[in-house]
Amino acid sequence: MQTLRLIVFPAGFNWPVWVAREQGWFTGQGLSVELTATPGSVFQLAGLIEGRFDIALTLVDNVIAYREGQGEVPAQGHDLFAFMGADARTLPSLVTLPDIQSYADLRGKTLSVDAKNTGLALALRGLLEHNGLGVEDYTIVSVGGVKERYAALLDRRHAGALFNSPFEGELRARGFNVLDSVATIAPRYLNHVGAARMQWAQDNRRAIVGFVRAYLRAVNWLYQPANREAAFETFIRNMPGADRSAAAGAYGILFDPASGFPRDGAIDMEGLEQVIALRERFGVPRRAIQSASCYLDTTFLAEATRHVSTYGRAG
């Protein structure tokens, strides 16, 4: 049994990980998955680069940024790469305080991000610029991951932030305003991927392939209607304060047949290109970014699914 150190943002999009652990599918691949929730991308990426973690479920922009020396901190991830898609294909929304009804209302206001130079911060800057706001018109502050941004908005410490589902829906239900979507500037923006260091992955190929097999088995189990009630129970056990209504709402978004998790773990190349375009425009220091394929190695995914005719019975 090999211990696999996995670091994630604490949110509902970890549902496949929770299911694979509870159902014993990681164990079936010879893996004991040690799960760590990160307070933000800096802790997550620094830990991955330094070898304190083996795999991260993270925004693909974080992988590119630290590969290119444009991360929030000096840590250089020369061999970081993405090996599978790991998120629903819904796009982040700009959620604001109830009285912020237009981009003009954001002039002079403060918006929050995880880190100023990575992840959704660049998509936020793209939205603001697209709607006529220059960098002198607003202030951006780093507060940490999605839970931290969510709490900051609930406390009305900032005027707005970008949120993936189901956080966007939860805030809307609380009376906050959904002002826009990243779809406005990047209709296929790629969110989370599975990421690792290439040297570690090459030395631990069986582990990463086993992780992918168990993960995709869980994704496809979650799509099956017969498993829905059991899935809700798993969600409630792993999301403090969640009830069945919250689980059902998150499920309807994350496992929508048209826009939910990719059943095969595929990475949307068009979506990746749109992330790269934003990084080329707003990344610091400015530089030309490599082609999308340079940040991927899909051979692990191909090996994991090679002999699988029905993903739901993988492994």
Side-chain angles (χ1 to χ4, degrees):
M1 192 70 64
Q2 179 175 347
T3 298
L4 185 68
R5 299 167 300 174
L6 172 65
I7 184 165
V8 301
F9 286 93
F13 44 72
N14 295 307
W15 216 330
V17 175
W18 302 333
V19 166
R21 292 179 82 188
E22 291 189 2
Q23 297 290 335
W25 295 331
F26 287 134
T27 303
Q29 295 294 328
L31 300 173
S32 174
V33 174
E34 184 180 281
L35 189 62
T36 297
T38 185
S41 62
V42 172
F43 180 87
Q44 183 187 54
L45 271 293
L48 185 63
I49 291 167
E50 294 165 6
R52 288 183 280 116
F53 304 104
D54 304 317
I55 289 176
L57 299 184
T58 189
L59 289 172
V60 72
D61 181 75
N62 292 329
V63 175
I64 300 168
Y66 283 89
R67 272 277 296 271
E68 296 298 332
Q70 295 179 321
E72 190 77 1
V73 293
Q76 187 81 37
H78 292 294
D79 68 340
L80 293 179
F81 76 102
F83 58 84
M84 73 169 185
D87 199 1
R89 289 161 287 199
T90 55
L91 295 179
S93 295
L94 176 54
V95 183
T96 62
L97 297 175
D99 58 327
I100 303 290
Q101 295 292 317
S102 70
Y103 278 93
D105 293 337
L106 287 173
R107 291 187 186 276
K109 300 297 194 299
T110 299
L111 299 103
S112 61
V113 296
D114 175 351
K116 292 182 181 180
N117 296 317
T118 60
L120 295 181
L122 305 193
L124 177 59
R125 288 189 60 188
L127 278 176
L128 295 168
E129 179 183 83
H130 181 75
N131 287 276
L133 296 182
V135 293
E136 70 283 354
D137 293 323
Y138 56 85
T139 301
I140 287 181
V141 296
S142 301
V143 299
V146 62
K147 287 182 67 176
E148 288 74 15
R149 297 197 306 279
Y150 186 83
L153 197 60
L154 286 181
D155 291 342
R156 300 174 182 260
R157 282 183 273 141
H158 308 121
L162 283 177
F163 292 95
N164 283 301
S165 295
F167 290 94
E168 166 264 327
E170 293 173 8
L171 287 164
R172 187 200 300 266
R174 289 173 174 262
F176 289 83
N177 181 47
V178 178
L179 184 61
D180 205 349
S181 167
V182 171
T184 300
I185 57 170
R188 297 182 70 96
Y189 185 89
L190 180 61
N191 277 293
H192 289 82
V193 295
R197 302 180 313 281
M198 182 56 73
Q199 187 60 61
W200 179 87
Q202 291 172 344
D203 293 343
N204 295 273
R205 190 170 193 92
R206 182 191 64 82
I208 200 168
V209 168
F211 175 84
V212 174
R213 283 177 176 158
Y215 184 93
L216 292 183
R217 182 174 183 179
V219 168
N220 285 272
W221 182 91
L222 281 158
Y223 271 109
Q224 296 171 22
N227 299 327
R228 194 164 300 174
E229 290 302 321
F232 291 173
E233 293 172 6
T234 295
F235 185 93
I236 293 167
R237 279 193 293 272
N238 287 276
M239 285 289 287
D243 56 15
R244 189 187 183 284
S245 176
Y251 184 92
I253 296 167
L254 297 176
F255 296 98
D256 180 277
S259 60
F261 276 76
R263 292 173 182 262
D264 57 359
I267 291 174
D268 185 335
M269 294 303 292
E270 185 178 349
L272 179 53
E273 293 284 2
Q274 292 177 2
V275 171
I276 288 174
L278 284 166
R279 175 140 296 279
E280 285 189 323
R281 180 160 183 76
F282 298 111
V284 178
R286 293 288 294 276
R287 66 179 58 192
I289 305 300
Q290 301 177 71
S291 63
S293 61
C294 293
Y295 305 103
L296 310 178
D297 186 335
T298 58
T299 62
F300 301 91
L301 178 62
E303 183 176 342
T305 59
R306 184 172 298 142
H307 304 297
V308 179
S309 57
T310 303
Y311 290 113
R313 296 177 181 170

